[in-house]
């Protein structure tokens, strides 16, 4: 199946940002770790009101990037919204995720069924360095202009209060399998080996006059929180996934998908799901940004 990488037509006012997330892995290890993290997190957060429905999952070819995997999913997020907005929107509310995976290059887009003018697009490149390549995303920048860079530090950045119970303190954590960690918050990016970086160009768009800037800034806040939490978990769970082969991982994912499908009453597609999920480190986690933006912050809306 030939499906070219999508070209996004954006408004001039769209708010782009480049996130860099260094990790104590190699690029090959990261691929396994992110798949495990996404699968485990999705299972933990799926119930009869929320969950992931796989619509399309197929191999693709691109003239520039080669062979890859395309997936389209519906993330049913109604149960995670504040009660007041759940009373106003249809129960069929969902976020659509489309992902083009040519690892170590990926594109993921999110749109919201309830707010069609709200969208998020994430372009990611993975490299074996500490986040010091200013040209990693140069081919993907609109008009070649550099976006604001935000370095996410999994050892030092404060975790949002509502996620603290989900996150280990990586300045105290040490992997029993690999011996990696604890991470010194002052210099771990300079002294840790191996090290790689996830470079993400995130474009958040909400084309509604009077609300665009405020909502887009909030969307970036949510995306950043999701990226921080997800990457902390990927390292904290390293002893659970390190050493797994892709075959091991696919079997793990197959079981997770079966459990999720039973809870939301859908029949998921297990074959190839691992390659599809690799489309972005935060994978379906980033859909929370669209859901949160639709309902506002927990503090404002409950």
């Amino acid at each position: 199946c030939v499906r070219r990488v999508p070209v996004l037509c954006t408004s001039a006012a769209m708010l782009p940002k480049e996130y860099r997330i260094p990790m104590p892995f190699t690029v090959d290890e990261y691929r396994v770790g992110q798949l495990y993290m996404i699968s485990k997190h999705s299972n933990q957060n799926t119930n009869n009101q929320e969950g992931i429905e796989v619509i399309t999952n197929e191999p693709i070819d691109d003239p520039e990037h080669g062979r890859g995997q395309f997936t389209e999913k519906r993330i049913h997020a109604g149960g995670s919204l504040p009660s007041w907005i759940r009373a106003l929107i249809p129960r069929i509310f969902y976020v659509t995720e489309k992902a083009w995976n040519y690892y170590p290059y990926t594109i993921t887009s999110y749109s919201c069924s309830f707010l069609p003018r709200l969208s998020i697009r994430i372009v990611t490149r993975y490299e074996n360095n500490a986040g010091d390549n200013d040209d990693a995303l140069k081919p993907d920048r609109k008009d070649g202009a550099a976006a604001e860079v935000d370095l996410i530090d999994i050892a030092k950045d404060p975790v949002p209060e509502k996620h603290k119970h989900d996150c280990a303190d990586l300045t105290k954590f040490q992997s029993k399998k690999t011996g990696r960690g604890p991470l010194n918050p002052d210099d771990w990016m300079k002294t840790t080996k191996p090290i790689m970086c996830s470079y993400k160009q995130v474009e958040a768009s909400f084309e509604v006059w009077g609300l665009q800037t405020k909502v887009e800034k909030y969307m970036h806040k949510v995306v950043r929180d999701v990226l921080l939490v997800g990457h902390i978990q990927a390292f904290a769970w390293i002893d659970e996934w390190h050493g797994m082969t892709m075959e091991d991982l696919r079997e793990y994912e197959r079981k997770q998908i079966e459990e999720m499908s039973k809870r939301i009453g859908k029949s998921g597609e297990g074959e190839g799901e691992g390659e599809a999920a690799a489309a972005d480190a935060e994978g379906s986690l980033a859909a929370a940004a669209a859901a949160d933006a639709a309902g506002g912050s927990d503090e404002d809306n409950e």
Side-chain angles (χ1 to χ4, degrees):
C1 175
V2 177
R3 191 185 290 263
R4 294 177 181 270
V5 169
V7 176
L8 183 67
C9 297
T10 63
S11 66
M14 175 179 281
L15 183 64
K17 206 166 187 178
E18 180 179 324
Y19 297 92
R20 301 181 186 180
I21 313 107
M23 294 291 288
F25 307 146
T26 66
V27 169
D28 289 340
E29 288 175 334
Y30 182 92
R31 187 178 195 179
V32 176
Q34 64 154 302
L35 287 170
Y36 182 89
M37 179 271 293
I38 291 168
S39 184
K40 180 174 178 176
H41 191 279
S42 296
N43 192 14
Q44 289 178 342
N45 291 275
T46 295
N47 54 44
N48 61 353
Q49 289 183 304
E50 303 179 34
I52 300 170
E53 178 185 359
V54 180
I55 305 299
T56 305
N57 186 17
E58 61 188 16
I60 50 175
D61 289 285
D62 181 81
E64 180 180 356
H65 303 290
R67 191 162 181 80
Q69 192 83 11
F70 171 76
T71 181
E72 179 177 347
K73 301 176 185 177
R74 287 180 180 176
I75 297 102
H76 299 271
S80 65
L81 294 175
S83 56
W84 71 269
I85 200 168
R86 288 202 303 269
L88 299 176
I89 66 174
R91 290 183 61 85
I92 58 172
F93 167 81
Y94 59 86
V95 173
T96 297
E97 174 196 274
K98 294 183 179 180
W100 294 258
N101 172 34
Y102 306 92
Y103 196 89
Y105 174 75
T106 65
I107 296 175
T108 310
S109 69
Y110 298 93
S111 58
C112 177
S113 63
F114 182 61
L115 295 172
R117 294 190 178 185
L118 183 152
S119 64
I120 299 172
R121 183 177 187 263
I122 303 173
V123 178
T124 308
R125 292 184 185 270
Y126 306 96
E127 297 185 354
N128 283 313
N129 57 52
D132 51 4
N133 182 7
D134 293 333
D135 293 328
L137 293 170
K138 186 175 181 179
D140 304 290
R141 291 171 185 153
K142 187 178 180 181
D143 300 324
E148 176 187 349
V149 174
D150 187 342
L151 182 69
I152 295 180
D153 189 334
I154 61 172
K156 187 164 59 177
D157 287 359
V159 175
E161 190 66 33
K162 65 179 180 180
H163 293 299
K164 281 188 176 180
H165 67 284
D166 297 323
C167 295
D169 183 347
L170 300 186
T171 65
K172 299 176 182 178
F173 168 80
Q174 184 172 36
S175 165
K176 294 180 180 178
K177 278 189 177 180
T178 67
R180 298 175 201 175
L183 301 181
N184 186 326
D186 296 324
D187 63 1
W188 78 269
M189 295 183 198
K190 297 178 180 179
T191 60
T192 299
K193 300 294 180 184
I195 192 165
M196 57 79 62
C197 184
S198 172
Y199 293 85
K200 294 182 178 294
Q201 179 173 283
V202 178
E203 295 167 335
S205 176
F206 185 65
E207 298 182 12
V208 176
W209 186 84
L211 294 174
Q212 182 170 3
T213 299
K214 180 179 180 181
V215 172
E216 289 180 0
K217 286 182 178 179
Y218 179 72
M219 289 164 70
H220 272 290
K221 175 185 178 299
V222 176
V223 167
R224 192 189 197 284
D225 289 348
V226 168
L227 291 174
L228 174 62
V229 172
H231 284 79
I232 289 174
Q233 291 175 333
F235 183 43
W237 295 340
I238 187 172
D239 288 344
E240 298 179 29
W241 59 261
H242 194 271
M244 292 179 74
T245 65
M246 290 303 294
E247 290 71 24
D248 295 334
L249 192 55
R250 285 200 176 100
E251 177 62 20
Y252 173 78
E253 288 177 323
R254 185 187 64 78
K255 293 178 180 178
Q256 299 291 302
I257 291 168
E258 285 180 356
E259 292 180 14
M260 288 188 290
S261 297
K262 290 177 182 177
R263 286 201 290 274
I264 63 172
K266 302 289 183 181
S267 56
E269 295 292 337
E271 184 65 28
E273 176 67 6
E275 294 300 309
D280 215 74
E282 71 290 355
S284 298
L285 302 179
D292 277 4
S297 69
D298 293 340
E299 290 80 2
D300 292 340
N301 296 316
E302 285 295 357

